[in-house]
Amino acid sequence: MCGIIGYCGNEDSVVRLIDGLKALEYRGYDSAGVSLFAEDGILTVKASGRIANIDTRLADEHSGVHAECGIGHTRWATTGKPNDINSHPHNSGKVSIVHNGIIENYKELKRACEQQGVVFASETDSEVIAALINLKYTETGDVMQSLRWTMAQLTGSYAVAALFADREKHVFAFRHDNPLIAAATADGNYLASDFAAVSKYTDRYYLPEDGDIVEMTADYIKFFDADGNEKQIEPVVVTDMNRADGKQGYPHYMLKEIHEVPRAIRDTCKDHIYENLPTFDKELTEKLAGAGRIYIIACGTALNAGKLGKTYFEKYAGIPVSCETASEFRYFPPILNENDRFIFISQSGETADTAASLRMVKARGLYTIAVVNTPNSTIAREADNVIYTRAGTETAVASTKAYNAQASLLFILALGAALEKGTVSEETAAALADKLVNQLPEAVETILADTEKIKALSEKYCTAHSCFFIGRGPDFYLAEESSLKLKEISYIHCEAYAAGELKHGTIALIEPDVPVISIISGDKIRSKTINNAAEVKAREAKVLMVTDRDTDEAEHTADDVYVIHCPDSDLFHICAAVFFQLFAYHTALGKGWDVDKPRNLAKSVTVE
Ligand code: M6R
C-alpha cells in the first residue's frame, strides 16, 4: 500500500528519497514519484510502474539535479487508475503533497475548489489536499493555518507530507488515522509512513499524534498540536526490531520466508514455554480463562490463522470462539458482552480494518489482545496486551511464515488458557508444547526438502483456469488459506469450500479441467471427505489429496495423494500449510509471475 518518505539533510536527497522508497517497496505499489527543492523551485518527477522508472526519468531528463530536501511516494491505486498523472506528488500552486489514505468527502471538496477556479489534473482524492492547502496559503500566507484549516475540511484517513515552494528546505506533515513517523539520524531528518524506511539509519523515531503538525528541516523536527502550540514528543526506542535481511541467496523473498517457517515457529513459541509448560503473563491467561467468548478479528491470512486458533481454544480450553472479518466486524459487530475477550491478529500491525475494529472494541472498555509480528506497530501499541510472533520481517506480499507463527502462537496460548482454566493437565500441555516447538519444525523441514515433488505436482495442476479446495473443520480453514495463497500469486481462480457443501450448488462448476484439492486429516471426517472427493472425481475433476496418512481409499479416489506426517493431528494444518505455500510459489513461478509482488496487492493494507 502507499508509502511516504520525506528527507531534509546535507546528503543528496534524490539518493535518500529513492532509497527510502525502495525500503517501502514491499508494501506493494503501482507508481512512484518525488518532489525536490531544485535550483528553480519544486521539481516533481513521477511515473507509473516501478521505482526504477523514476531513476530513469531523473537521469534522462534532470541529470545532475541536486537537492537537500524533498518528499517521495509509492502509490497503490485507490481513487483513479495507476498512471503517471494519478501518481503522487500532486501539485497545486506553491504546494506539492504526497498522501496515504482515503479522503471520503473529496468529491464535494473538489467541487468547492473548482468553484474557486482550481483545475484538477488527476482523478485522485489526494490532489484535493494540495488544492485546499494552496487556496488557504494563497489567502493567508500562513503555513500552519493553511494546514490546520485543510485538516478540518477532510473526512477520512490521511498521512500527508507537503512542500511549499517559498519555504525552501522545509517539509511539513500531518496525519489522521494513518501511520506517520519522524526520525532524526546522523545523516539528516526523515518523515516516513513506516519505520522500515529509516530502520537502517536509526533505532528511534517520533510518533506524532492524530491532528499534530510536523515541521522538519535539516536542523530540527518540531511538533505542533491541533491548537498550533509546539509540543514535545518522546522518541520510541526500538529495541526489538524486525530488520530486513535481503533474500539471503534465495531467488525470491517468498521462498526464503517459506524456508524460515521452522525457525519462525520455534522463535515464536520458545518465549512462552517455561519448564516445559505454556507460560504467559498471568493477567492474560486469567482474562482468557474467564472469557465468555473469544472474538478473533483479522483480515486475509491472519484471519485464516485465527480460524485454526478457534479450534485450539475450543478443544483445549472449552471457550467458544467467533472469528470475524475485520472489515465486517467494524461496521456490523455482533452483540458484545463484558466478559468477551478480543484477539486481533496482524502481521504488519497496521491493517486499517483490524486497527479500526480494535479501537471500536477498546472504546467499549473491553479487553483486547494483539498478536502482531511487527514491533511497535499501531495494533501492537494500542491493544491492552500484545504478544509478538517472532517470524521476522516478511517482505513478500503473500504472507507465509507469519501464518505458521500466528497459528503456533494461538496453539500455545490456547494451552496457556486451558492450564489456567484446568481443562488440560500439565502433562498433556507439556507433551503438546514439545510437539509444537520441537517436532513440528522437523516435520516442516521434511516438506521443505521435498520441493521437487511439490514442484512436479504444481506443474501438473497449474494449467487450470479455476480450482477448488475442499475440507471439513480445520481442514476447511487450511483450504481457505491455501486457496488464498494460490489465487493471490498465480491468478488462478480458486475457491475454498466446506467439502460437504459443494454439492449444494457449486458442484455445477466441476468439469475435467477444474482440479479439486482435497485436504483430509484425523479420523473423524476422513471417509466423509473422501466421499466428497469421489463425487467430484465422478464429474471428471482431477483430484489431488493432501492428507496425514495414505489409505487404499485415498489412492483409489485421487489422481495424486501427498502424505504429510505430523506429530499431532491438531498441528497438521500448520505443517501442511507449507506444502500449499510451496505449491502456490511453484505454480506462480511456472506461469512467469512476479511472486514477491503480485499484481494489485499491497503488503500492508492501510486503507479500508
Ligand atoms: O498485516 P496483516 O496480517 O494485518 O494483513 C492482513 C492481510 O492483508 C494479509 O494477510 C493478506 O491477506 C496477505 N496478502 C495474504 O497473503
Side-chain angles (χ1 to χ4, degrees), residues 295-335:
Y295 285 93
I296 297 182
I297 299 150
C299 303
T301 286
L303 177 62
N304 291 336
K307 290 180 183 176
L308 291 180
K310 166 185 164 73
T311 65
Y312 310 145
F313 277 104
E314 291 185 341
K315 175 169 177 178
Y316 296 116
I319 305 168
V321 178
S322 298
C323 292
E324 305 280 337
T325 305
S327 56
E328 290 292 306
F329 180 87
R330 63 183 291 190
Y331 295 114
F332 302 98
I335 295 164

Side-chain angles (χ1 to χ4, degrees), residues 349-534:
E350 301 293 351
T351 301
D353 285 316
T354 311
S357 303
L358 165 67
R359 289 178 193 131
M360 184 190 87
V361 170
K362 273 196 82 174
R364 296 186 184 195
L366 301 168
Y367 187 74
T368 59
I369 301 158
V371 170
V372 170
N373 195 46
T374 308
N376 299 300
S377 52
T378 303
I379 293 168
R381 288 194 313 270
E382 294 189 13
D384 294 311
N385 204 321
V386 57
I387 321 171
Y388 285 113
T389 46
R390 306 278 176 196
T393 303
E394 200 180 61
T395 302
V397 166
S399 188
T400 54
K401 60 178 177 172
Y403 171 83
N404 308 78
Q406 287 156 352
S408 301
L409 182 56
L410 294 171
F411 187 84
I412 197 87
L413 184 59
L415 289 176
L419 272 179
E420 182 69 41
K421 218 177 153 186
T423 48
V424 295
S425 66
E426 288 196 348
E427 198 185 3
T428 304
L432 287 167
D434 176 63
K435 285 180 181 175
L436 176 71
V437 82
N438 294 318
Q439 300 174 38
L440 177 65
E442 282 171 19
V444 171
E445 297 285 4
T446 310
I447 299 176
L448 292 173
D450 205 20
T451 295
E452 284 312 310
K453 193 159 168 201
I454 299 170
K455 187 169 170 223
L457 282 170
S458 77
E459 280 160 7
K460 183 166 174 184
Y461 287 84
C462 80
T463 51
H465 61 86
S466 183
C467 171
F468 283 86
F469 286 76
I470 60 170
R472 290 168 182 252
D475 297 341
F476 171 53
Y477 302 147
L478 174 61
E480 289 187 290
E481 172 57 12
S482 308
S483 161
L484 175 63
K485 213 62 12 190
L486 186 59
K487 79 180 92 171
E488 71 180 324
I489 60 168
S490 76
Y491 316 144
I492 296 173
H493 166 255
C494 302
E495 279 187 52
Y497 245 79
E501 182 66 12
L502 202 66
K503 58 184 163 301
H504 296 286
T506 306
I507 202 166
L509 299 178
I510 300 297
E511 49 184 346
D513 56 355
V514 177
V516 175
I517 299 175
S518 167
I519 303 175
I520 309 176
S521 67
D523 296 319
K524 190 173 166 189
I525 45 68
R526 175 165 300 272
S527 61
K528 307 283 176 205
T529 310
I530 289 184
N531 286 346
N532 299 132

Side-chain angles (χ1 to χ4, degrees), residues 28 50 147 191 202 209 248 265 324 341 484 531 546 602:
R50 295 294 171 209
L147 297 181
L191 280 166
T202 182
E209 287 179 75
Q248 305 278 311
I265 295 172
E324 305 280 337
R341 310 287 180 244
L484 175 63
N531 286 346
V546 178

Side-chain angles (χ1 to χ4, degrees), residues 6 60 75 80 85 113 116 178 182 209 224 243 270 279 295 313 325 349 376 444 509 525 558:
D60 292 352
R75 174 175 188 253
I85 302 275
C113 291
Q116 295 188 60
N178 218 286
E209 287 179 75
F224 300 89
R243 288 193 187 271
K270 70 174 193 256
T279 306
Y295 285 93
F313 277 104
T325 305
N376 299 300
V444 171
L509 299 178
I525 45 68

